[in-house]
Amino acid sequence: ICSIFAPNLQPAQQEMISVDSVTIRFGSFVLFDGISFQVNPGDRIGLVGRNGAGKTTAVSILTTLIRPDAGH
């Protein structure tokens, strides 16, 4: 689901996290439907949302504790 920063690459090629078309479902409930994003070196991000919005699930997918139903 994600690729990890590789310091030996040139700056234009460096990528810390890349998510492509990730979908996750819990039964008939679709939590994420085809989300994509990339985090590059130097980017600052925040993960905010209401209770039950999927913050912990997103981190669990990024750390490979949960496998998405689709995407990588």
Side-chain angles (χ1 to χ4, degrees), residues 9-58:
L9 297 176
Q10 297 300 319
Q13 298 171 323
Q14 292 178 345
E15 182 179 276
M16 290 178 60
I17 298 172
S18 179
V19 173
D20 185 34
S21 301
V22 166
T23 297
I24 190 152
R25 296 177 186 87
F26 293 100
S28 62
F29 178 74
V30 179
L31 181 61
F32 300 131
D33 188 14
I35 63 168
S36 299
F37 63 90
Q38 183 173 317
V39 179
N40 297 308
D43 287 352
R44 294 180 181 201
I45 62 166
L47 190 58
V48 296
R50 295 175 13 187
N51 290 346
K55 299 176 301 291
T56 300
T57 301

